[in-house]
Amino acid sequence: MEINMVNLEGTKVRTEGKAMGLSLTGSGFRPLFFLMLVIGCTARPLYPLPSKVNKGERQPLQTSRPYNIAHRGSNGEFPEETAAAYLRAIEEGADFIETDILSSKDGVLICMHDVYLDDTTNIANHTEFANRKTTYEVEEVNITGFFVVDFTLQELKTLRVNQRYKFRDQQYNGRFQIITFEEYISIALDASRVVGIYPEIKDPVFINQHVKWPNGKRFEDKFVETLKKYGYHGSYMSKEWLKQPAFIQSFAPTSLVYVSNLTDLPKIFLIDDITVQTQDTKQTYWEITSDSYLDYIKEYVVGIGPWKDTIVPVVNNYLQTPTDLVTKAHARDLQVHPYTYRNENLFLHFNFNQDPYQEYDYWLNKIGVDGLFTDFTGSLHLYQEWASPVEGEDEHKASKLLQKIKALLAS
């Protein structure tokens, strides 16, 4: 979800974050993942549209503690925004699976963070597309590469996704397809428990400039139409929302205001470094975090999603005095869901002694945020299960154990 700029050689211009993954060799690793590895290179879609099987009563979304938001899925373990990353995040206990939504040339919405394909796909191996390389201006920066808006969905499906960071597991490179917005939704709807979705209207200015839909429709229109098609509606914490939870997020305030007239689903306004300008209104995020602007935007959103260094500034990799952004947001009844938390030492500030659990503790208990975007869903879930187990969960586990003992005695 983050707005970090990465050049086409893979060099990160600005980083933040956190996390350390869990092994896939544990008892929780399901056979489904082996099946996915086998079919990952086939031509058919990696994940079907939602099944019609009645799953009965599913375990509801937990709402008693801050949300565990799987940033592009469990992308610390699998290539980002793939079915494997989302399925793994669900298995590890994510409350919400997060994604970035872009569009193909033919107007199909896809899950992809970058508007260009160079850093996270094997486009370089597809010589048949060599003539598609071009230069576009993206958020006032000229970038040369291969762009999603120049490829049809059929062409994009021939590509395979790679792990973004070279220091993470590379064994799954080239195994998984780019998935569509609808395929992503299917993964959430087909989970054995209620799992929320957290899609971002990504780079709407760029997408609306390069992709045209019939009848003058905009990117935002297609985005909301897709959500409605699969039954996503309802205000925050309403009965409808709890059945199929969803947050809509964007860095573009005009997009959030526009979709407010299309759906009552809760919206999160993403906030970057205070020196950066919004892509649509050209305001700096310094202005965006002012009291007057928060008073304005609170009429359209239920929360903000700031880059974590905007909340707590960092100098020489050490935390400084926190700003009052969380206090100001909470005073206006706005949630705060900062990004991005990663376990690797490269992303952990020195204050946390290279311990991601110390970072979780700091942000959840001292800063008091309402959710975290993490690359490593499993570690955050384990921390929360230890520090703040969901009410009634221990009793449920104990009851199941007693039932097993009783069955053994009866036999």
Side-chain angles (χ1 to χ4, degrees), residues 359-382:
E359 185 178 34
Y360 290 139
D361 183 69
Y362 173 82
W363 283 93
L364 294 173
N365 297 317
K366 184 171 182 178
I367 302 300
V369 298
D370 308 288
L372 298 177
F373 287 86
T374 176
D375 284 4
F376 293 86
T377 316
S379 63
L380 177 53
H381 182 72
L382 287 175

Side-chain angles (χ1 to χ4, degrees), residues 93-279:
D95 300 314
F96 287 84
I97 51 175
E98 188 265 354
T99 192
D100 306 276
I101 302 301
L102 294 170
S103 176
S104 64
K105 179 180 180 179
D106 48 346
V108 181
L109 302 190
I110 62 169
C111 297
M112 193 85 183
H113 178 268
D114 302 340
V115 293
Y116 50 87
L117 297 161
D118 304 64
D119 286 354
T120 57
T121 76
N122 64 347
I123 184 69
N125 298 335
H126 286 257
T127 55
E128 70 274 23
F129 299 137
N131 63 347
R132 305 282 180 94
K133 194 168 188 175
T134 188
T135 300
Y136 286 133
E137 182 181 299
V138 183
E139 298 184 38
E140 299 187 335
V141 176
N142 287 328
I143 298 176
T144 299
F146 298 90
F147 290 81
V148 294
V149 294
D150 293 328
F151 293 80
T152 65
L153 176 64
Q154 184 177 5
E155 291 171 332
L156 290 172
K157 282 289 189 180
T158 66
L159 307 179
R160 294 297 179 267
V161 184
N162 295 330
Q163 173 59 251
R164 178 181 295 273
Y165 295 116
K166 298 303 181 185
F167 49 80
R168 289 181 176 169
D169 193 349
Q170 303 294 306
Q171 68 172 310
Y172 302 110
N173 288 351
R175 296 186 181 235
F176 304 113
Q177 290 181 335
I178 294 170
I179 63 173
T180 66
F181 191 11
E182 292 186 272
E183 289 170 327
Y184 156 84
I185 288 172
S186 333
I187 293 170
L189 292 181
D190 279 350
S192 60
R193 58 184 174 83
V194 175
V195 175
I197 61 171
Y198 209 126
E200 179 184 345
I201 304 171
K202 188 72 178 179
D203 284 307
V205 173
F206 179 84
I207 295 299
N208 280 316
Q209 180 183 358
H210 293 279
V211 182
K212 303 301 178 184
W213 286 273
N215 304 317
K217 288 187 176 181
R218 295 169 44 167
F219 179 27
E220 293 89 343
D221 294 312
K222 299 299 293 184
F223 182 95
V224 174
E225 283 177 9
T226 305
L227 291 170
K228 288 182 176 179
K229 177 180 177 180
Y230 290 98
Y232 286 94
H233 67 100
S235 58
Y236 183 59
M237 287 297 176
S238 66
K239 181 180 178 181
E240 296 80 10
W241 187 86
L242 287 170
K243 184 179 178 182
Q244 290 185 206
F247 287 107
I248 295 173
Q249 55 172 334
S250 183
F251 282 100
T254 56
S255 285
L256 293 173
V257 172
Y258 183 84
V259 300
S260 293
N261 296 317
L262 304 177
T263 177
D264 58 352
L265 286 170
K267 297 144 198 86
I268 300 290
F269 182 34
L270 302 175
I271 295 174
D272 203 344
D273 183 89
I274 58 174
T275 62
V276 175
Q277 289 185 330
T278 61
Q279 61 187 269

Side-chain angles (χ1 to χ4, degrees), residues 389-409:
V390 173
E391 185 177 347
E393 200 166 87
D394 288 342
E395 290 84 352
H396 176 67
K397 290 178 180 177
S399 176
K400 289 184 69 176
L401 179 60
L402 287 173
Q403 290 175 14
K404 288 182 180 180
I405 294 172
K406 183 177 179 181
L408 285 171
L409 291 172

Side-chain angles (χ1 to χ4, degrees), residues 67 191 207 282 315 336 356 368 403:
Y67 294 127
I207 295 299
K282 304 305 180 185
V315 175
V336 182
Q403 290 175 14

Side-chain angles (χ1 to χ4, degrees), residues 308-380:
K308 62 182 184 178
D309 286 9
T310 301
I311 299 175
V312 183
V314 174
V315 175
N316 296 325
N317 208 31
Y318 282 99
L319 300 178
Q320 305 301 298
T321 302
T323 68
D324 61 352
L325 182 56
V326 172
T327 300
K328 290 197 298 187
H330 285 170
R332 292 164 174 79
D333 201 26
L334 295 173
Q335 294 193 38
V336 182
H337 301 169
Y339 63 92
T340 302
Y341 296 81
R342 302 180 173 110
N343 289 11
E344 292 101 348
N345 292 341
L346 174 65
F347 299 112
L348 285 168
H349 300 313
F350 292 146
N351 307 67
F352 304 120
N353 305 308
Q354 300 183 342
D355 182 351
Y357 295 99
Q358 286 191 28
E359 185 178 34
Y360 290 139
D361 183 69
Y362 173 82
W363 283 93
L364 294 173
N365 297 317
K366 184 171 182 178
I367 302 300
V369 298
D370 308 288
L372 298 177
F373 287 86
T374 176
D375 284 4
F376 293 86
T377 316
S379 63
L380 177 53

